[in-house]
Amino acid sequence: TNFAVQYNDVSVLENMHAAVGHSILMGEERNDTWDVFKNWKQGQIVEARDIMIRAILGTDMSHHFLKMDELLEKIESVRFTANVVLQSELGEDSVSEDDLPSSRRSRDEKDQRQMLDMLSNPSNQRKLNNGGGNKEQVQILDILAKVRDMSNATSESSKTCEELKTECRELSSSILIFLLHSADISNPTKPQTLSVRWADNALTEFFAQGDKEKELSLPVSPLCDKETTKTADSQIGFLQFVVRPMYLLLGDIVPRVKEEVLPIVDENLKYWQEQKRRDSLQKQQQH
C-alpha cells in the first residue's frame, strides 16, 4: 500500500496516525481552536510530542512482549535503586535528622530523607510472592510520587538519589505509554456483553484484512483467516497470553486494576472457555 511504502513497512498505521495527529496539532493545519499546546513552553511541547509518538507507536502489537519486558525491567531497576538509597542512608549509618551534621541538613537532604522515610514505612509496603517466598516491596507509584516532589539535589552525597530521579522520570513516561497500549486492547476488561460484541467487531475487521491480504497474494496475518480462525480459541489465547499478563503487570503498578479489572478478565476467560466447550459439543452432535 502507499502507506506501507511511505513508512517503510514499520508500524505503518501507527506511524500514519502519529503523523496525521501531529500535523493537525503542530503542522500546517494548526489552529487556535484546538491548539492545546498554545501556552506551553517549547521544551514541554517537545517532551509531550516525544511521549505521544512513543505511545502511539507502542500500540503496535508486534512489539507487545518486548515492551512488557522493558517495562518490567524499569520497574525492578527503580525498586533496586530505591533500595540502594534506603540501605545506604538508613543502614549502618542511619541517624536521626537532629544528629546529622549541619552540612547535611540542607533542603536537598531533607527531601531525600522524606523519600527514605516513605520507603521504610511499612504502611507503604505490600507482600508479594516472589520465588515461593514473601518479599516486601514498595508500591512503585509511591516511589514515583515522592521522587517527583523532591527538589533537585545538588550535593555530591545525593548522586544515587539523582540516579533514582532519572530512572523514575523514564519509568513515568513508560507507564503512560503502557497505559495507552493497555486501553487499546482493553475490550476483554469490559463487562461480558460489551466484551463479546467488541470481540466480534474486531474479528470482522481482521477477516476483512485477511481477505485483502489474500487478494494481494500476501501472507495472511494471525487471526485474519476466517476459514481457520475460531472465535473462542482466538479469544482464549488472547486473554491467556496477552491481556491477562498485561493487566497483571498493570495491577502491580496500579493495585485497583488487580482488584477491580482482573476479576472481569477472568470471568470473560471463563465465558470463552465455556463457549469453546459448547461449540465442541455442538460439532459432535452434528456428526
Side-chain angles (χ1 to χ4, degrees):
T1 65
N2 291 333
F3 283 144
V5 173
Q6 182 176 357
Y7 297 110
N8 302 312
D9 297 330
V10 178
S11 302
V12 175
L13 292 180
E14 292 80 10
N15 269 302
M16 183 271 290
H17 291 150
V20 170
H22 283 97
S23 176
I24 294 172
L25 285 172
M26 303 175 178
E28 294 180 355
E29 300 177 59
R30 184 174 182 174
N31 188 298
D32 286 342
T33 305
W34 56 72
D35 186 5
V36 296
F37 299 119
K38 182 164 51 179
N39 297 317
W40 289 38
K41 296 179 180 178
Q42 185 60 32
Q44 294 173 322
I45 295 174
V46 170
E47 182 179 3
R49 171 170 158 77
D50 175 66
I51 293 175
M52 290 167 68
I53 291 174
R54 289 164 56 201
I56 296 170
L57 297 184
T59 62
D60 184 345
M61 282 301 301
S62 66
H63 304 312
H64 172 80
F65 296 104
L66 175 62
K67 295 301 181 182
M68 285 269 293
D69 289 342
E70 288 178 351
L71 180 60
L72 184 58
E73 288 179 4
K74 287 182 179 180
I75 290 173
E76 293 306 314
S77 179
V78 164
R79 282 195 172 122
F80 176 80
T81 305
N83 284 332
V84 169
V85 173
L86 176 63
Q87 291 170 7
S88 64
E89 295 296 324
L90 298 182
E92 296 180 355
D93 298 327
S94 177
V95 291
S96 67
E97 186 68 29
D98 293 337
D99 293 332
L100 289 173
S102 58
S103 62
R104 294 187 59 194
R105 290 201 296 268
S106 64
R107 170 72 183 179
D108 298 329
E109 294 298 332
K110 287 180 180 178
D111 286 341
Q112 183 172 330
R113 175 64 59 177
Q114 289 173 2
M115 188 270 290
L116 295 170
D117 288 343
M118 180 276 296
L119 290 175
S120 61
N121 187 343
S123 66
N124 291 321
Q125 295 180 339
R126 60 192 171 88
K127 288 184 181 294
L128 288 178
N129 194 321
N130 184 19
N134 288 328
K135 182 180 180 181
E136 293 283 357
Q137 286 193 318
V138 181
Q139 291 280 7
I140 195 66
L141 290 184
D142 288 337
I143 298 176
L144 295 179
K146 195 63 185 180
V147 173
R148 179 199 61 193
D149 293 338
M150 291 170 58
S151 61
N152 292 326
T154 57
S155 63
E156 182 65 26
S157 62
S158 61
K159 181 178 179 181
T160 305
C161 208
E162 282 295 305
E163 293 175 358
L164 180 60
K165 289 181 183 181
T166 299
E167 290 184 9
C168 284
R169 282 194 295 269
E170 294 175 355
L171 177 57
S172 295
S173 63
S174 294
I175 289 175
L176 285 176
I177 294 166
F178 186 70
L179 286 171
L180 182 62
H181 180 38
S182 301
D184 191 44
I185 60 172
S186 65
N187 100 268
T189 71
K190 296 177 172 61
Q192 187 180 106
T193 303
L194 282 175
S195 180
V196 171
R197 183 192 306 174
W198 280 108
D200 290 338
N201 289 342
L203 285 175
T204 298
E205 180 181 329
F206 293 168
F207 294 158
Q209 176 181 326
D211 290 344
K212 189 66 175 179
E213 288 170 336
K214 290 179 181 179
E215 180 183 325
L216 297 173
S217 299
L218 295 172
V220 179
S221 300
L223 303 181
C224 291
D225 193 333
K226 62 186 177 185
E227 296 178 5
T228 60
T229 300
K230 298 178 180 179
T231 301
D233 284 339
S234 71
Q235 296 307 301
I236 290 171
F238 185 50
L239 279 155
Q240 286 182 330
F241 300 112
V242 177
V243 176
R244 197 173 191 283
M246 184 178 202
Y247 277 84
L248 275 172
L249 178 54
L250 186 57
D252 190 37
I253 301 168
V254 184
R256 284 186 62 183
V257 170
K258 193 170 293 185
E259 299 164 4
E260 301 176 17
V261 179
L262 273 175
I264 298 175
V265 172
D266 289 338
E267 284 300 314
N268 284 326
L269 177 57
K270 291 178 183 177
Y271 168 83
W272 288 113
Q273 289 171 333
E274 177 61 20
Q275 188 62 41
K276 178 180 179 178
R277 187 187 69 82
R278 292 176 180 176
D279 291 344
S280 179
L281 287 176
Q282 184 179 10
K283 187 175 180 180
Q284 292 175 9
Q285 292 171 356
Q286 290 175 347
H287 292 349

